[in-house]
Amino acid sequence: MHGYRYLVRLPDEAKLHSLCLPVKSKSKESLWLEGHAPDYLQKIERMDGVITMEKVWSCKGTLLSGSGVREGRLKDLCLSFSLFKFICMRFTGHSLPQEAHNELWHLIQQMLGEDKGPERVFRVIEVELAFLFDLLYTKYPVNLNLCGSLRRLLLLTTVVAAPVISDYFGKTEPCDLVVMYICKYVQNEWWKKKRCAGKLIEIMCRVWLLKPWGRQLRQYSLLEAYGYSPWKCIYNRFTAPYLDPKGDGQKQLAPTNLPKQVIEAIARSIGRHGTSNLENGQASIGRDGTSNLEKGIASLKLNDVFVQLSWACNHETAAHVIMVWHIATTFCEHEKPLSGHQLSPEQRDNFGIATKLSKYLAYLVAFAPRLLPGHPCRTEYIFSRAVSEARELLEGSSVSMGDRIQKLKSVPDDKQTIVGQGARLGRQLVNKVANEERIWKVLADFWAEMMLYVAPSNNTPAHAKYLTTGGEFVTHVWVLVTHVGFRRVPHSSEQHGDPESN
């Protein structure tokens, strides 16, 4: 972290100048130099009381100076808090310059290159979103200031157990509390020498790091749920104000735990996109901030199946592409299931990545269209048409899955419906891509790239809304690509049809 002067915390007593608000009175000299013509750029004059990532990493206290898991987690907690400030900028309509995104990409690239690097990156993002959740939704702010630090350290267990003492001290957010004490530890030489001070801070971090997200992927399968009809006695116009309405075919499968293989697959995909831009002589993520995310096209080129399969990516909306490939993946899951004892770990991993991400992205189409590119009304309509097509072709829900797959085999190749194109793609994968190992490698790479394609978004309220129910995995990927600076080039129908993109 040498040279990374990302801000963790400013001194509490400093009253900052703002370009948007009038200058406030201040009890002490401002940290900021006045901006001068022509650019009026403000700079921090005094760094002695400012805590940056570089200072946290170079701290010599026993709490942070080691190289163990505990020390690394506490340092990463400060990194999460620093990056959390960047995400807050998105919620206030501001953005970082492209140079800052490039610097963040180099940092994330270094982290991904470490042993268990992908797991560490997503853990940093998890804590970052926990800070965001506290900022947006915590009802009872904890009120503390840094005066009389030793006294409040002794009261720390009381503060953690009973935040209702909030009337006792000056106000700050709960998400600020833990980092505040780590920053005080970095500054205070006496704290560094006392093992009990570090131990109390460590205990507090363990208590706070109870994240709302359960590391689960919600799942949906069109070929299993198309026959579902919601009970009118429960879901009707009278219960609509109290229950989220359900439509035909909207029945979730049981959620599945997020496997580390999915995290690693997305990390590999984002690494390939950054590297490909470097090889083209561009900045690490493109000089204009865009990346070559084109609904899975890069993954097809990587696996030498672009000529055969690219037609299945050339649909106007991401929802259309997702549903076609979802049907094809389900077809392959039943026609080319993994079997035998000679399977390599890579084969098993690719099978799990493809099937779990396929069902997760189908879930987003069916239940969370606001988190996908394009207008949510059009996404909902595409989903409803897919359900109607499946009902017409596959008949009632009493038909076994084996019979449903057999019906898909008989659909003509020129059938231009979502289900018909999914059946055509599934047959093409089974008959022309050859063995099971290659099929699941193609599908795993495709779905990992599709996660990157759908993640960039300007719809910050939608991601904030889903934090209240535990959050979505796509929100974690959104945070990652936001830091890196990936912005897809949407199809014209997505760009003009989505009010958020305008």
Side-chain angles (χ1 to χ4, degrees), residues 468-488:
T468 63
T469 57
E472 289 289 348
F473 180 58
V474 70
T475 300
H476 293 70
V477 184
W478 167 67
V479 171
L480 177 58
V481 298
T482 297
H483 289 327
V484 172
F486 275 11
R487 296 196 302 269
R488 67 177 169 271

Side-chain angles (χ1 to χ4, degrees), residues 6 10 22 32 62 84 91 104 138-139 151 158 162 190 224 251 255 269 274 303 329 359 402 427 435 477 485 491:
Y6 290 168
L10 289 171
W32 296 85
T62 55
F84 151 73
F91 279 83
L104 269 171
T138 297
K139 296 181 180 179
R151 177 166 54 89
T158 306
W190 187 86
E224 293 185 44
K251 184 180 180 181
S269 184
N303 289 286
T329 303
K359 292 183 175 70
R427 293 195 303 269
N435 58 49
V477 184
H491 191 278

Side-chain angles (χ1 to χ4, degrees), residues 99-112:
E99 293 78 7
H101 285 301
N102 290 343
E103 186 179 69
L104 269 171
W105 164 238
H106 287 301
L107 173 61
I108 291 172
Q109 193 176 34
Q110 290 175 11
M111 294 171 65
L112 291 175

Side-chain angles (χ1 to χ4, degrees), residues 449-476:
E449 186 177 349
M450 278 302 295
M451 279 299 303
L452 294 186
Y453 179 83
V454 304
S457 172
N458 293 324
N459 195 350
T460 53
H463 287 284
K465 173 192 172 184
Y466 281 93
L467 281 179
T468 63
T469 57
E472 289 289 348
F473 180 58
V474 70
T475 300
H476 293 70

